[in-house]
Amino acid sequence: MRRRRFLGYLLAAPTLAVAAEIGGAAVDPDTAEGAIPSPPEPADTYDLSDALTDAAMPTANLITVQVNPDGTASFALPRAEVGQGITTAIGMLIAEELDLPLSKVTVTLADARPELLFNQLTGGSNTIHAMYQPVRTAAAIARARLLATAAAQWGVPVSSLSVKNGVIRSGNGKTASYGSLARAAASDTVRPVTVTPKPESAFTLVGTPQNRVDAHDIVTGKKKFTLDLAVPNAKPTMVCRPPTINGTVRAVRNLAQVRAMPGITDVAVVSTGVAVRGETFGQCIDAVRALQVTWGPGSVDGESDDTVLDKLKAATPPPAVPPVLTKSIDAEFVFAFASNSALETNCAIADVRKDRAEIWSGLKSPITTQEQIAKMLGLPVSAVTVHVTQGGGSFGRKLFGDAALEAAEISHKIGKPVKLMWHRTDDFRHGRAHPMSYSRIRVNYSGANVVSYEQRHASSATDFSHGLGEILTATSAKLPVGELGFSETVFTLSQSVPYNFGATTQTLTEVPLKFHTGSMRNVYSPNVVCARELVVDQLAAKMSQDPVAFRRSFFKDDRFRAVLDKLAQVGQWGRSMPKGTAQGVGFHHEYKSCSAVLVEIDCRPETVNREVRDGVTGPRVTKAVMVVDVGRPINPRGLQAQMMGCISDGIGLALTESLHIADGLPLEGSWDNFFYTRQWNTPTEMQIVVMPTTTGDPGGAGELGVASSLAAVACAYARATGTMPTRFPINHGTLGFDPLPRVPPIPQSPTDGLKYAF
Amino acid sequence: MSQHTFILNGQRVTVEAPDDLRLLWVLRDLLGVTGPKYGCGLDVCKACTCHINGKAFNPCSVPVSQIKPTDEITTIEGLADRQTGALHPMQQAWLDHDVAQCGYCQPGQIMAAIAKVRQARTEGREISDADLDELRNICRCGTYFRIREAVRSAAAKM
Ligand code: FES
Ligand code: FES
């Protein structure tokens, strides 16, 4: 097969600058992709990755690689880096194509670029999928141009030249560095050119394990996050928030008194509460706690865990396929609210002037935020500059510009720059969360055949208003899912059953409650897949089959089988385990990738009841093994890191991590309330196996392993205890802490820290 | 407001601040030392972990007035060798094991890990799984396993 050529551009610039189009198709129509196949199951053929990638197609948007006179190449990535390692992976693609050391490639984060339309959204594990081709095309053009420039200068044919580490060498021993040619290679007009990127078989860097490019800055404290930036006069700012979600300010009874507190410069009522600005965050905390506010009701004051669950159950349609001449399994599962709180709380810097605004924040959807801020301030979009900063984690949280919008409102109101930080307690109670869901499954089977599989998933509504909606609306004509609503579209595109289970349906019902919600890492999949995999284990048991052998025999795809086989071998599936401990497996495919997880869990009383001060213990996952196939791994080490994070998430979601909603507010207010996995619940053995290139197409990876990990832990727990868990996390029924008060909304910092020095 | 003097990363500093202002805000907001991160202000997440006279502590929960003029405060910025710039073995192990993801928790993780190893040494033993389980630092990116590996290999060089 001929290798495909791609279109790109030489840009008019003082140094060599080249560009390619996101979503740009190959030039040769012979090798263009075929038409989109039709259902039965949309996600099998055309999934969310495709929808997000295709959304880019019609827009004339360019990404630019520049070669600088100092010999480095630079690229402003129109995506967010929130820990997923995307700057490293993209840097590798550029370094590979240019034959330049990775250390000479600088990848920064682009400001909001409204002309990119749908192309600046970091979500759905889509970045590599969407950026792979354009980034390689641009870098390949740069390399070709540099070679052509050297060839012309030396009067030799390009074919006589070679490149190593950014130095071009001629057959007769002449050398020139990229840096020395960068200006000469620059173009003075914009010119379309075509190029054939390096064949993937010639990759020497891509596909090899590389460390994060920002690792040194991280371990020396130099990496700058939003709150670390020194923007002139952007003083610490916090908000006093209501005792229930979306409560509003009726009156502030001591405004003047709080304004006069030491260090406080401003106090102002805003749409989300009462903002205070001061010299230090410590003084802002004092002021927030001192404020006496009369609050109006919020949007979900009457809601608690039980009322929400009742509504979900009532909204779930019953299974449609009656068990006729078959046996069946009916099961139902409940998954509590969970916070996608990152360690960096919601934060943003805003400097709003009469005629312009400048914003700094970790944003995965910066164009939407920019548009919202422009609208709120009555400014043209072009007058709002949005800088995307390095994010301290996201897990879906940074899809929304909540802090950026709030900071802009406050800065606008008080007429001064602000550095807004949410308090941790607020971040849990008023920050977005993954909504509660309820999953009902019916499987009909006969002998060794599964005749039908039905899963009715109901969820308190997930907010997708960050702009993903626009994307899918824009491409809906191309989607093989017809007239579905937006959430249903995401659900349909992301969910598909990997097993040949006869007539298969999975549906989503959303109950519109006014909680603050948003996608959490892996969106619907963790809960949907956990429920499914537990039922798969039940089915295997009914048919007297081993869980791994059962999955193997029902898989639709050899790729899945290969991953599971590898897992069973590496994880020593079936080894004998003491009573009260067990292995469990979970499998998930999505984003054109798949992963299988095997865990060993210890549910013996001496483990479950071990004590940690102010901490939750419970069963311990002692070992976790994951095998992952992403089609083509770009940076296997980065991928392993992400998968380890997915395992931590899965353990937490299965065993310990949830929000308890009571009278319109989550009770959790600290990390000792919201029990995300801690060191004492971390497996002491862990191994991630990255499958070598399979499809050749780089699939998504960032979220892939959450669902399989959660499912594996749940299945292991069921096998260790002999009881299938149906409510998650399993400890949700007991509140393991004393809730912090609602008023004042945030607790004072302790003063006894020295007592705990070690 | 009063003056507070202490030794910060080897340098004597004097800062004007209210007595009850927690040291974290003195470091970050008044002195511009941003290595220690805010993750809770409640002595829970440990993102702000620094050293006082070589011991790990959380400045978000210590009023500046409790810091004595002779106290040596070390933040992540002051960890590398002040003469040669060589990284502390724990920092190097973090690089060798490519521990970090977003990196927000990692300054605190590194400072806590060093103290944990020293604590075990003082008690006459090498770091064990039980010691590692005692590290309370949150990592929301879930780098816990690589932290365990890195601490063990750094301990061998400390
Ligand atoms: S910020 Fe100090 S312990 Fe969390
Ligand atoms: S690396 Fe992101 S919180 Fe630890």
Side-chain angles (χ1 to χ4, degrees):
Chain A
M1 194 180 95
R2 263 178 310 162
R3 277 161 49 208
R4 294 190 284 166
R5 289 186 78 75
F6 289 85
L7 179 69
Y9 303 87
L10 285 165
L11 299 181
T15 183
L16 176 60
V18 297
E21 202 171 7
I22 304 173
V27 189
D28 182 351
D30 290 348
T31 53
E33 300 289 344
I36 298 160
S38 53
E41 277 208 274
D44 284 343
T45 54
Y46 189 87
D47 71 6
L48 198 54
S49 305
D50 291 315
L52 292 172
T53 305
D54 279 5
M57 293 285 188
T59 64
N61 51 84
L62 300 176
I63 51 109
T64 308
V65 173
Q66 188 170 305
V67 179
N68 306 303
D70 66 358
T72 61
S74 47
F75 175 59
L77 174 68
R79 286 291 189 278
E81 169 66 58
V82 292
Q84 79 277 45
I86 198 63
T87 48
T88 305
I90 295 290
M92 288 171 72
L93 292 175
I94 294 170
E96 176 74 66
E97 210 59 52
L98 273 170
D99 291 312
L100 197 61
L102 179 56
S103 59
K104 293 220 166 167
V105 179
T106 315
V107 178
T108 54
L109 307 179
D111 288 351
R113 294 176 54 193
E115 75 281 8
L116 289 180
L117 302 178
F118 308 120
N119 274 322
Q120 201 171 358
L121 182 125
T122 311
S125 292
N126 159 269
T127 299
I128 287 290
H129 195 65
M131 290 287 155
Y132 183 67
Q133 203 56 62
V135 164
R136 289 177 63 219
T137 301
I141 293 170
R143 183 182 189 275
R145 178 75 173 182
L146 288 160
L147 283 170
T149 306
Q153 284 187 356
W154 296 335
V156 298
V158 169
S159 58
S160 69
L161 303 180
S162 63
V163 190
K164 204 175 165 198
N165 288 334
V167 177
I168 300 177
R169 200 172 297 272
S170 75
N172 55 12
K174 280 192 177 154
T175 63
S177 69
Y178 281 175
S180 69
L181 294 167
R183 287 206 178 88
S187 175
D188 48 13
T189 53
V190 175
R191 253 192 283 166
V193 288
T194 64
V195 73
T196 303
K198 201 187 247 192
E200 283 144 334
S201 57
F203 282 174
T204 56
L205 179 67
V206 170
T208 65
Q210 298 295 320
N211 286 1
R212 287 186 69 94
V213 291
D214 54 2
H216 194 275
D217 281 354
I218 289 172
V219 305
T220 51
K222 289 201 190 80
K223 180 168 175 177
K224 294 271 183 267
F225 300 89
T226 304
L227 293 170
D228 304 335
L229 301 175
V231 172
N233 209 27
K235 290 196 199 277
T237 301
M238 294 177 81
V239 172
C240 176
R241 298 180 197 277
T244 57
I245 289 172
N246 289 327
T248 51
V249 178
R250 286 245 167 96
V252 183
R253 303 193 297 275
N254 61 345
L255 203 64
Q257 191 192 324
V258 175
R259 270 198 188 120
M261 284 178 72
I264 296 304
T265 63
D266 302 84
V267 182
V269 175
V270 291
S271 56
T272 46
V274 184
V276 299
R277 177 177 175 274
E279 298 299 331
T280 65
F281 281 110
Q283 289 160 316
C284 290
I285 292 173
D286 294 343
V288 166
R289 289 176 48 81
L291 278 165
Q292 293 173 9
V293 184
T294 309
W295 297 101
S299 55
V300 285
D301 289 7
E303 302 294 349
S304 297
D305 275 350
D306 291 347
T307 62
V308 177
L309 181 56
D310 288 347
K311 290 186 171 110
L312 295 182
K313 284 187 173 174
T316 308
V321 186
V324 180
L325 301 176
T326 57
K327 292 190 192 147
S328 60
I329 294 175
D330 280 283
E332 54 175 37
F333 303 90
V334 180
F335 299 87
F337 276 87
S339 178
N340 53 13
S341 207
L343 188 52
E344 173 192 52
T345 55
N346 288 350
C347 57
I349 295 172
D351 182 358
V352 177
R353 308 290 171 97
K354 251 218 296 289
D355 57 345
R356 66 194 155 88
E358 197 167 358
I359 311 291
W360 292 257
S361 193
L363 295 164
K364 289 177 131 194
S365 197
I367 302 171
T368 310
T369 304
Q370 181 188 33
E371 285 166 353
Q372 287 169 334
I373 290 173
K375 196 168 155 215
M376 174 178 79
L377 299 174
L379 290 173
V381 171
S382 58
V384 179
T385 305
V386 173
H387 305 290
V388 179
T389 54
Q390 298 281 339
S394 166
F395 320 105
R397 183 59 80 77
K398 288 180 167 65
L399 282 164
F400 291 88
D402 294 334
L405 272 147
E406 195 176 52
E409 184 188 346
I410 298 168
S411 176
H412 178 58
K413 199 130 207 178
I414 66 180
K416 295 173 191 167
V418 299
K419 180 184 276 189
L420 172 72
M421 180 183 87
W422 281 42
H423 193 276
R424 168 58 54 202
T425 303
D426 293 333
D427 210 77
F428 282 128
R429 291 183 163 176
H430 295 277
R432 291 175 186 273
H434 180 63
M436 182 191 288
S437 71
Y438 168 75
S439 224
R440 185 185 285 172
I441 296 177
R442 173 177 290 173
V443 191
N444 291 331
Y445 64 99
S446 166
N449 277 322
V450 180
V451 178
S452 67
Y453 177 92
E454 279 179 277
Q455 186 162 10
R456 305 261 174 263
H457 196 73
S459 175
S460 177
T462 301
D463 187 346
F464 282 104
S465 63
H466 46 71
L468 200 65
E470 291 172 68
I471 286 184
L472 289 172
T473 314
T475 54
S476 61
K478 295 183 80 173
L479 301 178
V481 287
E483 293 292 300
L484 290 178
F486 180 66
S487 300
E488 286 82 355
T489 305
V490 172
F491 184 84
T492 310
L493 289 179
S494 58
Q495 301 310 316
S496 96
V497 175
Y499 308 108
N500 282 310
F501 277 173
T504 298
T505 56
Q506 286 182 296
T507 60
L508 172 73
T509 307
E510 290 218 320
V511 178
L513 295 170
K514 298 238 172 300
F515 286 97
H516 287 157
T517 64
S519 300
M520 188 162 78
R521 199 174 190 182
N522 219 181
V523 201
Y524 296 109
S525 305
N527 301 357
V528 171
V529 170
C530 176
R532 182 195 74 208
E533 293 289 288
L534 282 165
V535 169
V536 166
D537 267 13
Q538 297 266 302
L539 262 176
K542 296 266 192 221
M543 295 182 185
S544 308
Q545 284 196 46
D546 168 80
V548 166
F550 177 90
R551 283 175 174 79
R552 246 193 135 269
S553 64
F554 281 89
F555 269 151
K556 289 174 174 170
D557 191 327
D558 284 338
R559 233 179 124 195
F560 304 167
R561 254 182 291 273
V563 162
L564 191 64
D565 287 348
K566 185 82 188 166
L567 181 76
Q569 176 223 324
V570 176
Q572 295 178 277
W573 172 254
R575 81 185 183 96
S576 87
M577 301 271 297
K579 195 169 173 319
T581 71
Q583 296 180 315
V585 291
F587 178 85
H588 179 54
H589 73 300
E590 195 178 351
Y591 318 112
K592 305 189 178 300
S593 306
C594 63
S595 78
V597 177
L598 182 155
V599 302
E600 292 182 359
I601 200 169
D602 183 348
C603 299
R604 293 175 293 190
E606 61 270 31
T607 297
V608 171
N609 300 323
R610 72 199 190 282
E611 298 231 353
V612 171
R613 169 176 61 87
D614 296 330
V616 158
T617 52
R620 181 156 188 181
V621 175
T622 50
K623 173 178 168 180
V625 181
M626 183 189 295
V627 179
V628 56
D629 173 354
V630 295
R632 172 185 295 284
I634 305 294
N635 180 8
R637 184 167 299 152
L639 178 60
Q640 284 175 319
Q642 286 199 298
M643 294 306 103
M644 288 186 185
C646 288
I647 291 172
S648 276
D649 284 20
I651 292 171
L653 290 170
L655 304 177
T656 56
E657 169 192 348
S658 60
L659 295 175
H660 294 79
I661 311 295
D663 305 318
L665 192 75
L667 296 178
E668 280 71 7
S670 116
W671 290 109
D672 276 349
N673 302 169
F674 184 74
F675 292 110
Y676 181 71
T677 302
R678 301 283 278 268
Q679 200 60 269
W680 58 84
N681 278 350
T682 294
T684 50
E685 278 183 77
M686 200 183 280
Q687 193 180 347
I688 312 290
V689 179
V690 176
M691 294 295 262
T693 296
T694 51
T695 63
D697 188 14
E703 316 167 68
L704 179 69
V706 180
S708 42
S709 299
L710 166 58
V713 177
C715 290
Y717 179 86
R719 298 180 72 215
T721 60
T723 312
M724 180 175 76
T726 57
R727 292 198 159 221
F728 292 94
I730 56 151
N731 77 341
H732 188 75
T734 31
L735 195 64
F737 58 94
D738 294 324
L740 292 163
R742 293 175 187 230
V743 179
I746 58 173
Q748 185 52 276
S749 294
T751 54
D752 63 350
L754 288 178
K755 203 171 94 188
Y756 298 101
F758 65 89
Chain B
M1 289 292 240
S2 46
Q3 292 213 326
H4 305 274
T5 299
F6 53 92
I7 300 160
L8 175 61
N9 295 331
Q11 306 256 302
R12 181 166 301 274
V13 294
T14 299
V15 61
E16 188 93 0
D19 283 355
D20 67 344
L21 189 65
R22 306 304 188 267
L23 182 63
L24 179 61
W25 309 120
V26 173
L27 295 173
R28 289 186 55 90
D29 298 345
L30 302 180
L31 298 172
V33 177
T34 56
K37 303 295 183 223
Y38 167 85
C40 69
L42 301 172
D43 209 347
V44 169
C45 77
K46 310 291 177 181
C48 67
T49 307
C50 297
H51 289 173
I52 182 164
N53 307 321
K55 289 189 161 200
F57 82 115
N58 291 91
C60 70
S61 300
V62 179
V64 63
S65 58
Q66 292 181 14
I67 309 296
K68 298 192 288 292
T70 50
D71 281 339
E72 296 202 28
I73 306 295
T74 308
T75 69
I76 190 78
E77 289 95 335
L79 199 53
D81 188 291
R82 282 177 205 131
Q83 260 80 57
T84 65
L87 295 181
H88 186 281
M90 197 62 77
Q91 290 170 304
Q92 187 57 48
W94 244 246
L95 295 183
D96 296 344
H97 291 266
D98 203 33
V99 169
Q101 284 227 63
C102 79
Y104 196 83
C105 73
Q106 302 299 350
Q109 301 278 9
I110 291 170
M111 300 307 279
I114 292 169
K116 205 64 193 162
V117 173
R118 285 187 191 146
Q119 187 187 33
R121 289 273 162 81
T122 313
E123 290 166 16
R125 34 187 191 85
E126 280 309 304
I127 194 121
S128 65
D129 270 326
D131 293 313
L132 292 166
D133 281 0
E134 284 175 9
L135 288 168
R136 297 187 71 94
N137 302 54
I138 300 278
C139 176
R140 185 61 176 83
C141 297
T143 64
Y144 296 113
F145 182 73
R146 291 193 303 290
I147 288 173
R148 297 176 91 92
E149 293 186 304
V151 177
R152 282 181 200 281
S153 66
K157 295 181 191 124
M158 270 171 72

